[in-house]
Amino acid sequence: MRFSRYLIPTTKEAPSDAVLPSHIYLIRGGFIQSVGAGLYNFLPLGKRVLDRVRDVVKEELDKAGCLEVDLAFVTPAELWKESGRFEKYGKELLRFTDRKENEFVLGPTHEEMMVNLVRQSVKSYKQLPLNLYQIKTKFRDEIRPRFGLMRGREFLMKDGYSFHKDEADMKREFDHMEATYSRIFTRLGLDFRVVEADSGAIGGTGSKEFMVLAESGEDTLVVCEGCDYGANIEAAVRKPAEGPRYEEGEAPEMTRGKFHTPGVKTIEDLARFFRIDPFHLVKAVAKKALYDEGREEIVVFFLRGSDELQETKAANAVDANELIDVTEEELRAAGLVPGFIGIEGLPEGIRYVIDRELAGNDTLIAGANEADYHMVGVSIPAEGEPFADLVAVREGDRCAKCGGKLRYTKGIEVGHIFQLGTRYSEPLGATFLDENGKARPFVMGTYGIGVSRLLAAIIEQHHDERGCIWTRESAPFDLEIIVSNIANDAEREAAETLYHALRERGVEVLLDDRKERFGFKINDFELIGIPWGVVVGKKIADGTMELIRRDGLERTEIPADRAIEEILGRIG
RNA sequence: CGGGGUGUGGCGCAGUCUGGUUAGCGCGCCUCGUUCGGGACGAGGAGGACGAAGGUUCGAAUCCUUUCACCCCGACCA
């Protein structure tokens, strides 16, 4: 490909709203063009990268036995009503009607469509297992699209769905997909981590996320320094916290009783008041839980004074769609006393959940549900109460698996695999006949990869202050030839010869034959980030060219008459 | 949706507070010439009617009203 005939509108400046390197360089390098909030056009260069990434995904999936399909993008609302998601999905789902006033949605994900496809064509256990996928544009009317390709409203996603006769086979496929995904991200040159993820909202029994490690990641991950444990903060678990160490006879003892604690409302105040470690205090966090059809309820979460509430865990514990803050007025209206909420004496009908780590504890101080009073010597039974894991794991906590030290890191979610079970097959009546001729719902798994997001993730992880550095399998071209001065016949001819020779050997080459100065071209090369460059310049008079490795910008002189072998040998 | 902000040639901005020549600058673009290994220089040129609608005024990019779009900070997700 000749640069002079290609459309690569590079710019010196980036739009002022671009913050992330991936966003800035993808725009400045002429890969993409913004057309509205979360909407992008892919220009020729961007399209090339997208296709290459897509190819890697497709190749590995096909090798893994998955079958590619292509489902309608505009989907009948009927299916969504059947699964119950038409109402539940919220405003992210773009709904519209056609000229006959029939309702449709633009697919944000395709569980319903795929289940529909399968229930119409698969009738017997003999046809199972089956893993179907598509790589297709999705539309989610995101509340806040941002960061370029990182979080668009329209984006390219690979979504796959597997169908099984039983749980065990679904789990087998789940592991198989984990391995397949790992191969895909490895081929793309990404430093990633597979972590435990929250699976509450969508339902199902287990899920894992593939996180590309990058400072700019939107997710906080908890990883262990001692073993391979890693989890999204929303799903991270830890070894139960140990209390402070006390000398012989120094451990706090509590005589049960109600204490006058005027104005002592916060954990800090309480710890100071009783001169005790917050570990022994019970923190009450009240939230308003939102459910389907506008139903809402105040819920109180109890955990150690030394811990923080993890909202996703809390929402899952009460099956809420969302938790929002409550005002003191609302608390009072519900009969609660802000600042003095405790487990004992909680007003009738108030729903509460206790953090599992508190189970069986008896040296605790909690609110007395009465203004200016706390209960000392509170004990919590080991069972019988509504317990759940509610704590936000913190840096320095101990790993539940090996006891090692846990720390935070940031990640970009590029893949997510889910054990779905019968969550969709059941409501949609998708069944098959088993060995005994009995109808049973398909046991499903679902697997996603953010293909367009991958481009952003690759650049987030592979760039320098000059521009993009594409990895081998994601690069739009394998190599770029830069003709220093196109007006110089010797340079031009040598470059042309090399260009044709490399192309004949299957190398994807971009020949910068533009009538521009050297500095201009080399800057574009560095911005665009093709992994290798060859400068054909005035050194051609001495029979040498220069090979540049984009990653590190290391230069090597190579003899012009052996250029092809040298290049093929190095770029592999 | 809550809070903050911005809309002026393709891109980045100034001008707006304090209405008043022909709306300005840098980059980019076109033509010619000189240059040619790190975003060259000179000369000439094209391109906007100031997000939109309404209003105030002799006069509006500038003041008022409404509206739309986009961006930043929070809850969602590949």
Side-chain angles (χ1 to χ4, degrees):
Chain A
M1 185 58 64
R2 288 166 191 279
F3 208 132
S4 62
R5 303 304 317 148
Y6 213 56
L7 180 64
I8 310 177
T10 58
T11 58
K12 223 186 264 191
E13 286 165 309
S16 51
D17 52 64
V19 218
L20 293 190
S22 63
H23 191 185
I24 293 170
Y25 293 144
L26 287 174
I27 288 188
R28 282 193 49 212
F31 294 90
I32 57 170
Q33 188 180 60
S34 164
V35 279
L39 304 174
Y40 290 90
N41 287 336
F42 280 79
L43 303 179
L45 208 52
K47 172 65 173 152
R48 260 186 108 97
V49 179
L50 192 64
D51 283 350
R52 290 213 63 193
V53 171
R54 200 200 124 98
D55 287 349
V56 170
V57 173
K58 177 171 165 56
E59 240 177 77
E60 289 298 331
L61 289 173
D62 289 349
K63 223 189 296 175
C66 306
L67 307 176
E68 189 175 15
V69 295
D70 199 347
L71 306 178
F73 179 43
V74 173
T75 70
E78 280 310 307
L79 279 174
W80 285 75
K81 289 179 177 166
E82 254 187 90
S83 72
R85 283 211 293 183
F86 190 70
E87 298 304 326
K88 199 177 173 123
Y89 211 93
K91 290 189 182 150
E92 258 178 62
L93 185 64
L94 185 64
R95 304 138 205 258
F96 58 97
T97 54
D98 67 6
R99 63 169 84 197
K100 290 184 279 187
E101 295 298 312
N102 286 325
E103 289 184 291
F104 290 91
V105 306
L106 281 191
T109 171
H110 281 183
E111 280 83 5
E112 285 83 356
M113 288 288 279
M114 198 66 91
V115 170
N116 182 51
L117 181 153
V118 168
R119 74 178 170 186
Q120 287 184 42
S121 47
V122 178
K123 298 290 169 202
S124 158
Y125 72 94
K126 290 176 196 160
Q127 291 168 283
L128 301 176
L130 199 55
N131 189 329
L132 300 171
Y133 77 96
Q134 61 172 346
I135 298 172
K136 196 168 179 88
T137 299
K138 298 285 181 292
F139 190 89
R140 292 183 191 171
D141 201 355
E142 290 275 348
I143 312 162
R144 194 150 117 65
R146 60 183 137 177
F147 302 144
L149 295 184
M150 200 74 97
R151 178 178 298 280
R153 289 195 295 171
E154 185 180 305
F155 57 97
L156 189 66
M157 171 168 146
K158 172 263 158 173
D159 51 322
Y161 311 84
S162 67
F163 298 81
H164 310 270
K165 63 178 167 58
D166 56 31
E167 191 90 351
D169 194 54
M170 182 267 283
K171 287 197 166 135
R172 190 219 84 243
E173 184 71 5
F174 182 82
D175 292 341
H176 179 48
M177 280 299 116
E178 177 175 344
T180 304
Y181 274 34
S182 296
R183 260 198 306 279
I184 290 170
F185 300 129
T186 301
R187 271 183 68 178
L188 289 172
L190 289 165
D191 180 15
F192 67 98
R193 190 128 183 180
V194 187
V195 302
E196 307 281 335
D198 165 50
S199 53
I202 307 183
T205 43
S207 88
K208 287 185 177 177
E209 288 168 335
F210 291 76
M211 292 286 187
V212 169
L213 304 180
E215 270 312 302
S216 55
E218 295 186 84
D219 289 276
T220 299
L221 312 179
V222 174
V223 296
C224 177
E225 290 180 352
C227 69
D228 65 352
Y229 177 75
N232 192 307
I233 182 92
E234 295 175 349
V237 295
R238 69 178 186 194
K239 209 168 143 186
E242 285 169 29
R245 299 234 171 98
Y246 297 106
E247 296 294 312
E248 188 71 20
E250 300 257 304
E253 283 173 25
M254 294 185 189
T255 320
R256 197 179 151 74
K258 194 152 85 173
F259 252 78
H260 188 51
T261 53
V264 180
K265 291 182 168 189
T266 66
I267 290 294
E268 295 79 66
D269 291 349
L270 203 57
R272 212 173 302 124
F273 186 92
F274 285 105
R275 297 199 190 138
I276 197 168
D277 193 282
F279 179 81
H280 300 286
L281 306 176
V282 177
K283 178 189 279 185
V285 183
K287 292 277 175 186
K288 195 192 285 177
L290 305 183
Y291 300 93
D292 289 353
E293 284 132 30
R295 196 164 63 81
E296 54 180 59
E297 173 183 34
I298 287 178
V299 184
V300 184
F301 299 97
F302 294 105
L303 60 162
R304 281 195 196 281
S306 49
D307 285 327
E308 297 290 333
L309 183 73
Q310 213 300 314
E311 279 208 23
T312 304
K313 289 182 180 178
N316 290 340
V318 294
D319 289 316
N321 293 339
E322 194 185 346
L323 294 181
I324 59 171
D325 291 340
V326 274
T327 62
E328 295 209 349
E329 290 70 48
E330 288 172 304
L331 289 179
R332 287 199 191 87
L336 294 166
V337 191
F340 302 94
I341 301 173
I343 300 168
E344 290 176 30
L346 204 61
E348 279 295 310
I350 294 285
R351 186 168 181 187
Y352 65 98
V353 182
I354 303 173
D355 181 57
R356 195 164 282 141
E357 286 189 34
L358 284 172
N361 275 258
D362 55 7
T363 322
L364 297 169
I365 299 175
N369 290 305
E370 189 180 332
D372 296 337
Y373 283 95
H374 276 86
M375 287 298 296
V376 175
V378 171
S379 62
I380 293 171
E383 52 190 82
E385 297 286 343
F387 289 116
D389 174 21
L390 298 176
V391 300
V393 173
R394 278 189 287 199
E395 290 200 273
D397 285 351
R398 295 285 154 184
C399 174
K401 212 162 148 186
C402 76
K405 205 167 155 192
L406 297 174
R407 63 176 176 84
Y408 283 176
T409 181
K410 289 284 184 184
I412 302 166
E413 184 187 349
V414 292
H416 199 162
I417 57 177
F418 248 94
Q419 298 180 23
L420 255 191
T422 56
R423 163 72 201 255
Y424 291 93
S425 49
E426 227 158 332
L428 289 166
T431 60
F432 63 98
L433 295 180
D434 68 10
E435 295 91 325
N436 304 315
K438 249 186 85 182
R440 298 203 346 230
F442 296 104
V443 179
M444 295 176 58
T446 171
Y447 321 92
I449 293 179
V451 180
S452 47
R453 177 182 282 180
L454 272 171
L455 305 206
I458 290 168
I459 297 307
E460 282 306 313
Q461 212 168 59
H462 302 276
H463 69 268
D464 59 18
E465 64 293 337
R466 291 163 178 271
C468 306
I469 304 173
W470 292 104
T471 58
R472 208 181 117 177
E473 296 218 40
S474 63
F477 290 93
D478 299 324
L479 175 131
E480 176 173 330
I481 299 173
I482 299 149
V483 189
S484 178
N485 180 2
I486 198 73
N488 178 305
D489 290 341
E491 292 180 21
R492 198 189 62 246
E493 278 160 26
E496 289 280 351
T497 309
L498 181 63
Y499 173 63
H500 290 292
L502 287 173
R503 273 168 46 113
E504 267 166 37
R505 284 165 177 77
V507 182
E508 292 280 356
V509 189
L510 180 66
L511 173 66
D512 194 344
D513 57 344
R514 291 174 300 170
K515 208 178 150 192
E516 296 288 350
R517 294 163 67 93
F518 175 75
F520 190 90
K521 295 189 193 178
I522 197 82
N523 273 304
D524 270 355
F525 164 72
E526 286 161 355
L527 175 61
I528 291 168
I530 291 169
W532 294 92
V534 175
V535 177
V536 180
K538 57 190 177 192
K539 285 177 191 155
I540 200 70
D542 317 325
T544 59
M545 297 176 174
E546 220 166 50
L547 183 64
I548 306 175
R549 187 196 176 95
R550 176 62 188 87
D551 190 0
L553 295 173
E554 169 202 332
R555 297 173 178 222
T556 323
E557 287 202 3
I558 55 173
D561 54 0
R562 299 199 57 248
I564 297 160
E565 298 77 54
E566 288 282 344
I567 291 167
L568 292 175
R570 280 169 209 264
I571 73 172

